[in-house]
Amino acid sequence: MINPGIFLGVLVQLALLSVLDAVVGLGPLGWIAGAAYGIAVGGFLTYGLNRGTARSLGPADAVTLGRSALVGCVTALIVDTAGREIVTMVVIASVALALDAVDGQVARRTRTASPLGARFDLEVDAYLILILSVVVAQSLGPWVLTIGAMRYVFVGASRLWPWLNNPLPPSMARKTVAAVQGIVLVTAASTILPLWTAFAVTLGALGLLTWSFGRDSWWLLEQHAFGTARRVTADVA
């Protein structure tokens, strides 16, 4: 059975799509893309709740669910209007990015942080970065897609090397680099910057992201290698 909070989140997604349709107009493709996103998110959360110990969404999860509904609207605009409603898309994406700082604060203040909530927040961010990179790639080139794809390449690599799934220590640098990606991509998508400036800034963001993933991957590799060495030494002894 679907959780009432998740069901409400799907309804909110459909309601926001209706508002978007009334304001800018959405064709069948936009409706399908936005609705499919909302249903997929509902399925992801239902699966997570069924597998975990929690049986309901916390206050921070509700904020993330609302932010996710905004991302669904961005998805609908990108698929349906092919960039014709760039201002509307940029405004909605900017609000979704700004709310990223809210759900974490709510989780800490209400002491309702959970692994599912953290994963949900991460996946919403990663998906938003992916679709924004698709938009920006249309003007700056396909290399921008590397920004959106890097998280998913990392997940794919973890299937081959499970030690990449090991927990990482908290890092403000990692959080800052992740936030920079969204800000830079939204700014580049807005076309307020000259093309060469947008190119340079986006390339710089990609450099930071590559450094961040590289640093974390190296740290995980060291922990894996040293842990293996310690186990071998202990077995020999």
Side-chain angles (χ1 to χ4, degrees), residues 29-50:
L29 288 178
W31 269 104
I32 291 172
Y37 170 84
I39 293 171
V41 168
F44 167 80
L45 288 174
T46 300
Y47 176 77
L49 285 176
N50 289 338

Side-chain angles (χ1 to χ4, degrees), residues 27-194:
L29 288 178
W31 269 104
I32 291 172
Y37 170 84
I39 293 171
V41 168
F44 167 80
L45 288 174
T46 300
Y47 176 77
L49 285 176
N50 289 338
R51 287 196 63 186
T53 56
R55 288 294 175 263
S56 62
L57 299 179
D61 300 327
V63 176
T64 308
L65 194 56
R67 195 161 63 87
S68 175
L70 295 176
V71 175
C73 292
V74 174
T75 301
L77 285 171
I78 292 174
V79 171
D80 190 70
T81 65
R84 295 192 302 273
E85 293 294 338
I86 193 68
V87 174
T88 305
M89 186 274 291
V90 165
V91 170
I92 296 175
S94 298
V95 174
L97 287 171
L99 288 175
D100 188 26
V102 176
D103 46 15
Q105 290 287 343
V106 171
R108 286 187 289 273
R109 291 184 179 182
T110 60
R111 297 181 180 179
T112 55
S114 68
L116 176 61
R119 178 68 183 275
F120 182 31
D121 180 60
L122 173 64
E123 296 301 340
V124 170
D125 290 340
Y127 177 76
L128 179 57
I129 295 301
L130 176 63
I131 58 176
L132 287 175
S133 69
V134 171
V135 174
V136 178
Q138 296 175 23
S139 58
L140 299 185
W143 63 270
V144 181
L145 296 174
T146 307
I147 295 177
M150 198 169 296
R151 152 74 180 163
Y152 299 98
V153 170
F154 185 85
V155 171
S158 68
R159 302 289 184 179
L160 297 175
W161 300 292
W163 48 267
L164 287 171
N165 286 315
N166 292 334
L168 288 162
S171 170
M172 183 56 66
R174 186 187 309 118
K175 293 179 179 179
T176 302
V177 169
V180 165
Q181 306 308 307
I183 294 171
V184 167
L185 288 174
V186 164
T187 303
S190 70
T191 68
I192 61 175
L193 297 176

